[in-house]
Amino acid sequence: MELKRVMDNVCWAFDGRKRLVSLNLTPSKQVYGEELFEFQGKEYREWNPFRSKMSAALYKGARPLELKEGDTVLYLGASSGTTVSHVSDIISNGGKVYAVEISEEMGVNLVLLSEIRKNIFPIIGDARKVGELGMAVTSCDFLYQDIAQRDQTDIFIKNVSKFLKRGGQAAIALKTKSIDVSADTRRIVDREVKKISEHFKILASIDLYPYQKGHSLIIIKKG
Amino acid sequence: MNDKPDSDNSKYVEEAKKRIKEQLSLDDFIRKLVSMESETKKAENTLFKALFDTYFLYFPEAADLIRDKEAFISALSKGVKRDEISSYLGISADSMGYNLSDSDLSAITDSFNQLVGLSGLRTMIELKIGSILEENYINLFKVAGPDIAAKLISLSGSLKNLSEMPSGKLQVLGAEKSIFGGKKARTPKYGVIFFHPEIQAASDKLKGRIARVVASKTSLAAKVDFFSKEDKSGLILKKMRKEVDKIKNGT
Ligand SMILES: C[S@@+](CC[C@H](N)C(=O)[O-])C[C@H]1O[C@@H](n2cnc3c(N)ncnc32)[C@H](O)[C@@H]1O
């Protein structure tokens, strides 16, 4: 096996095929049934692009995200913590990921995960009202949103404006079906990207097909 | 840059646990029961098909007469051997099928017992769903019936969501799922409400209009259950009856 660094604690692993992996913060523990690898005394977890949009974006050629060890991350739409767990690997023990999830049912797994991974700060609440959720920080180094709601773009713009530090990167996983079931995917993405571009600089817009159908990841920078 | 950063996550974990505990509700349990019921039904059907095929190999002449699951179960409960089942069905015990020894037949008996067990389990879950709805959501229970009511709660996520939903949307709830044999209509007219006795009893031509009435009364029932919990089902059912009759009589 051979590793090629992508970003902090994330590599491409080559062993006949090419797979994205992250350095396991909690060795020997799996989060969602992903494969674990040993390499030179360290343990890595496969980061599955079919399960995680952030991984899918890297598979589709996204430049490495500006997300690094020690960062404070605001993650909206954490669900049961699949992608959050990889963010937790990346930022490592010195970092913190505030993981907001509205559904108490999804939140159960997220809480169980947070008990093992101490850099995950779970918050059961609405991404529309992050300011009211009792979070101690008012600024983050990186913001990620994946919430499949009709008003997802507005929620993103609001939260980036409020919480992301200047010069920081953020990404949103756009689910086109949540915005408009009938309209054409490309048109919706174009329209939402345009809306976001009125506030922030668009770095990339990546169609996640075939890993995630009907999804695009938009990466921005806050000026 | 980050002010007052938290040094450890335990406060957040505790707070999240508290929120979860407060927010989990009866509707979550109903959703899980609905999914248990449908999964049990699937398991039951899968096992039935496989067992039927095995039985068909052994005694095709008998199996041919009991292709329906209920008929199959009641016939085999009299005994699985050719002489037992043939006398129950009034046919000859001679068969072109493959002979099985008593010890081989135990594979059929064991599977059959599991099938009966699954079937009983499904009935038990259905009864449980029914009694929960009757006890907590009497208007929905009476107006939509326990099965449809539970599915509507499950599909919308909660009684609250259901009570806030326009009745036009309630009417097509579940239409996305392949309840009609996987074919997805472009503009679906009905979802799970389609199985309501009033709609089932209506002629094809009137089904659409009657579905609208049933959906609006079901929506009303959900609102009453959510806001007052009072039993207004008699009144709602009377109104529904009147409107359905009006449609049927073409007035
Ligand atoms: C597609 S899933 C996220 C998957 C996750 N990001 C991952 O990759 O592991 C979307 C999640 O967003 C949550 N969600 C939807 N609306 C929300 C809101 N307004 N605030 C917070 N979370 C929300 C849903 O409950 C769901 O768990």
Side-chain angles (χ1 to χ4, degrees):
Chain A
M1 191 159 88
E2 198 185 313
L3 294 183
K4 192 174 146 231
R5 183 184 182 280
V6 178
M7 29 201 278
D8 282 357
N9 304 318
V10 177
C11 307
W12 291 112
F14 299 87
D15 56 346
R17 56 197 181 115
K18 179 182 169 189
R19 282 185 280 186
L20 196 65
V21 301
S22 67
L23 184 67
N24 194 354
L25 185 68
T26 55
S28 84
K29 290 205 175 80
Q30 287 171 311
V31 176
Y32 55 101
E34 74 282 15
E35 210 180 309
L36 303 179
F37 306 80
E38 278 275 324
F39 185 68
Q40 295 183 338
K42 285 180 176 168
E43 189 181 271
Y44 296 86
R45 305 161 55 220
E46 177 170 14
W47 192 358
N48 187 334
F50 292 97
R51 300 289 300 275
S52 169
K53 286 152 212 152
M54 204 188 268
S55 163
L58 293 165
Y59 272 82
K60 290 286 309 251
R63 303 267 304 273
L65 299 163
E66 268 174 37
L67 171 62
K68 53 190 187 313
E69 241 184 81
D71 274 358
T72 295
V73 177
L74 180 54
Y75 192 117
L76 307 170
S79 196
S80 53
T82 303
T83 301
V84 171
S85 70
H86 291 284
V87 172
S88 156
D89 282 344
I90 296 170
I91 62 179
S92 197
N93 281 321
K96 296 177 181 70
V97 50
Y98 291 87
V100 180
E101 170 55 47
I102 199 166
S103 149
E104 63 279 6
E105 226 180 320
M106 291 297 161
V108 174
N109 269 315
L110 183 65
V111 164
L112 293 172
L113 186 68
S114 311
E115 291 195 293
I116 303 168
R117 291 174 170 263
K118 300 289 186 190
N119 61 2
I120 302 177
F121 293 66
I123 300 175
I124 305 300
D126 192 335
R128 296 184 186 88
K129 305 177 190 158
V130 179
E132 300 161 30
L133 300 178
M135 197 174 60
V137 292
T138 52
S139 145
C140 62
D141 303 305
F142 187 88
L143 188 149
Y144 187 76
Q145 178 182 305
D146 178 12
I147 62 170
Q149 290 282 350
R150 183 187 288 274
D151 54 344
Q152 56 193 331
T153 309
D154 299 324
I155 298 175
F156 180 70
I157 293 170
K158 205 174 114 190
N159 282 305
V160 171
S161 307
K162 192 157 169 195
F163 295 106
L164 184 65
K165 70 172 186 193
R166 285 181 159 277
Q169 261 191 19
I172 175 175
L174 273 185
K175 184 179 179 189
T176 46
K177 275 228 158 45
S178 309
I179 297 172
D180 190 335
V181 250
S182 52
D184 162 57
T185 306
R186 273 295 285 281
R187 278 218 344 260
I188 299 175
V189 173
D190 288 350
R191 195 183 67 203
E192 300 305 306
V193 166
K194 186 161 170 284
K195 207 152 131 193
I196 298 170
S197 72
E198 284 161 16
H199 302 263
F200 315 111
K201 185 174 171 215
I202 308 284
L203 299 179
S205 164
I206 301 156
D207 185 348
L208 302 181
Y209 186 89
Y211 303 108
Q212 309 268 342
K213 291 180 186 132
H215 282 89
S216 286
L217 194 83
I218 318 299
I219 304 168
I220 66 106
K221 192 176 190 76
K222 182 171 172 181
Chain B
M1 170 112 223
N2 304 322
D3 45 320
K4 297 186 281 159
D6 303 279
S7 55
D8 96 78
N9 70 355
S10 54
K11 248 178 51 201
Y12 285 74
V13 170
E14 289 318 311
E15 182 59 31
K17 281 184 177 173
K18 224 177 80 194
R19 288 289 294 257
I20 288 168
K21 189 99 191 151
E22 282 165 11
Q23 284 181 30
L24 287 173
S25 73
L26 179 68
D27 293 347
D28 294 311
F29 185 44
I30 292 174
R31 277 193 3 249
K32 297 298 175 192
L33 286 176
V34 166
S35 127
M36 276 232 293
E37 196 262 345
S38 102
E39 293 303 317
T40 308
K41 205 166 171 174
K42 273 190 226 154
E44 194 186 333
N45 285 326
T46 307
L47 179 56
F48 165 64
K49 281 196 192 103
L51 178 56
F52 181 89
D53 283 350
T54 309
Y55 201 73
F56 193 86
L57 176 77
Y58 166 64
F59 198 177
E61 296 83 357
D64 187 43
L65 300 174
I66 46 175
R67 287 181 181 271
D68 172 69
K69 186 172 68 196
E70 307 312 323
F72 181 83
I73 290 182
S74 60
L76 266 72
S77 63
K78 304 291 188 295
V80 302
K81 288 190 198 162
R82 281 188 190 137
D83 53 351
E84 293 167 324
I85 208 139
S86 61
S87 69
Y88 170 76
L89 292 171
I91 59 170
S92 162
D94 288 337
S95 175
M96 65 177 141
Y98 180 73
N99 291 341
L100 294 175
S101 69
D102 281 1
S103 111
D104 289 341
L105 270 175
S106 70
I108 288 179
T109 314
D110 291 349
S111 310
F112 180 68
N113 290 337
Q114 294 293 331
L115 178 65
V116 172
L118 279 173
S119 174
L121 173 61
R122 176 174 51 82
T123 310
M124 240 176 56
I125 299 170
E126 282 166 3
L127 289 173
K128 186 81 216 162
I129 292 174
S131 71
I132 288 176
L133 281 153
E134 185 171 18
E135 210 171 293
N136 298 279
Y137 304 146
I138 186 69
N139 294 283
L140 268 180
F141 175 82
K142 288 268 178 66
V143 174
D147 192 42
I148 294 175
K151 291 201 169 101
L152 289 173
I153 290 173
S154 175
L155 286 160
S156 62
S158 65
L159 178 70
K160 180 171 186 288
N161 291 351
L162 191 64
S163 71
E164 288 168 352
M165 189 174 282
S167 94
K169 190 165 174 207
L170 186 153
Q171 187 177 331
V172 297
L173 210 55
E176 320 77 41
K177 287 263 187 79
S178 57
I179 54 171
F180 304 110
K183 268 173 277 167
K184 201 168 118 184
R186 212 154 244 294
T187 47
K189 283 208 196 91
Y190 345 81
V192 291
I193 210 160
F194 183 70
F195 299 102
H196 193 280
E198 289 289 0
I199 304 174
Q200 290 289 306
S203 70
D204 282 356
K205 240 179 64 198
L206 299 182
K207 273 193 165 68
R209 286 170 66 200
I210 291 180
R212 219 175 310 148
V213 174
V214 173
S216 96
K217 296 304 169 253
T218 300
S219 168
L220 183 61
K223 287 186 175 70
V224 178
D225 280 327
F226 183 68
F227 289 107
S228 76
K229 298 225 158 270
E230 233 176 290
D231 185 357
K232 294 263 175 64
S233 60
L235 207 71
I236 302 173
L237 281 169
K238 219 164 99 187
K239 272 198 210 150
M240 180 157 87
R241 176 80 280 124
K242 226 171 105 186
E243 289 178 33
V244 168
D245 286 344
K246 222 166 125 186
I247 293 172
K248 284 188 170 162
N249 298 330
T251 49

